[in-house]
Amino acid sequence: MPTAAVNGLSIYFERAGAGEPLLFISGTGGDLRNKPNQFDGPFPKVFDMISYDQRGLGRSDKPDAPYSMADYADDAAALMASQGWARANVVGVSFGGMVAQELVLRHPGRVRRLVLACTSPGGAGGASFPFHEIEHLKGEARAKYLTPISDTRRDMAWAKANPEAYAKAIALAAADPFADEPGHAQGAHRQLEARAGHDTWDRLGQIKAPTLVAGGRYDRIAPPQTLERLASQIPGAELRFFEGGHLFMIQDRTATPAMVEFLLG
């Protein structure tokens, strides 16, 4: 099992592909055991890609202490260093986009080109949906609550008109096969605590890496207006919207190829 000693923790990671280095930072609750995942998409066909379970998640260590966004960013930088990467392209999705912002701000020399997908700057720029406020919702109840927020097209009218598709979407979103593992709930809670305090707004002007901000037109977890503000605050950033909600990278087949094209420069 590939692990790296990172800031006093054992971090589980996977690596695949060939080409320029690419660090993929996944979102809230990300666990590489859940399939399909980022390794089943186009990125490892073009890049030498590393992705990993962040502290508190998956097969990485789950310390019982508060986590900060700086901790997550420093973990990413240390993982890169452990694999001999001085610099890499970075894709951060949702919560991973928040980590990627901290990474490029705290370790600017490590980021060649940056994609921030369906994420937010926090602070005056606007926060993503407050998951910490619905932490009490589990399984199907959580899935039903979040489905029309994740994609505004998936409202109750759509659910009634498409009962089979709705049931499949709820079952997929409700699944948490590792919920009973030791430290799982604690690690997930620590991540939500860190996420709630995310705020890079006043520092975004320091980003020098070429940046693409991308999102779904129907996303209300990271709303389009928040992405617009995020892009406006990063010098020279490009902004692109795709046909989808928070899962636009799956819903719109043109999204990931557009990111690949941007990262190749």
Side-chain angles (χ1 to χ4, degrees):
M1 189 170 75
T3 60
V6 169
N7 297 329
L9 305 177
S10 176
I11 296 293
Y12 175 84
F13 71 96
E14 294 180 12
R15 184 172 182 175
E20 290 188 6
L22 170 65
L23 182 70
F24 187 104
I25 310 175
S26 57
T28 301
D31 187 328
L32 286 170
R33 291 173 293 184
N34 292 323
K35 304 290 184 178
N37 62 30
Q38 51 269 35
F39 285 98
D40 299 299
F43 288 122
K45 296 179 174 65
V46 183
F47 299 101
D48 175 9
M49 186 175 86
I50 287 175
S51 192
Y52 62 105
D53 292 340
Q54 299 188 67
R55 62 168 62 206
L57 302 174
R59 286 169 280 186
S60 291
D61 282 350
K62 303 170 179 63
D64 185 14
Y67 308 161
S68 70
M69 297 307 297
D71 289 333
Y72 287 106
D74 292 348
D75 288 350
L79 176 60
M80 290 173 60
S82 77
Q83 301 308 300
W85 284 5
R87 195 165 179 248
N89 298 299
V90 175
V91 174
V93 178
S94 193
F95 175 81
M98 302 177 197
V99 176
Q101 292 167 53
E102 284 288 350
L103 173 62
V104 73
L105 288 166
R106 291 175 64 81
H107 306 274
R110 291 208 172 271
V111 181
R112 177 183 175 269
R113 296 177 76 87
L114 176 65
V115 174
L116 301 175
C118 52
T119 191
S120 71
S128 290
F129 181 83
F131 281 114
H132 58 283
E133 294 181 1
I134 61 163
E135 192 174 0
H136 61 285
L137 294 178
K138 306 296 181 184
E140 187 174 304
R142 178 184 175 89
K144 288 182 175 179
Y145 184 88
L146 283 175
T147 292
I149 298 171
S150 177
D151 189 328
T152 57
R153 298 170 298 178
R154 305 299 192 249
D155 57 12
M156 287 310 300
W158 176 84
K160 290 179 180 178
N162 301 274
E164 291 184 6
Y166 178 69
K168 184 177 180 180
I170 295 302
L172 184 63
D176 189 358
F178 310 108
D180 294 331
E181 284 186 344
H184 177 92
Q186 168 193 289
H189 174 72
R190 296 295 192 191
Q191 186 185 42
L192 293 183
E193 285 183 325
R195 185 182 184 278
H198 168 67
D199 183 358
T200 58
W201 178 250
D202 292 332
R203 295 175 285 148
L204 292 173
Q206 301 170 24
I207 296 177
K208 294 181 172 59
T211 302
L212 170 66
V213 176
R217 299 182 191 280
Y218 309 103
D219 187 2
R220 287 298 175 270
I221 292 176
Q225 58 268 31
T226 300
L227 295 178
E228 290 170 355
R229 289 194 291 269
L230 174 61
S232 73
Q233 196 80 338
I234 300 173
E238 297 182 29
L239 174 65
R240 290 195 61 176
F241 288 109
F242 296 90
E243 293 303 308
H246 201 60
L247 300 179
F248 77 95
M249 293 173 65
I250 298 171
Q251 295 169 312
D252 189 333
R253 293 184 180 181
T254 70
T256 302
M259 294 177 184
V260 170
E261 182 179 8
F262 173 81
L263 291 170
L264 292 174

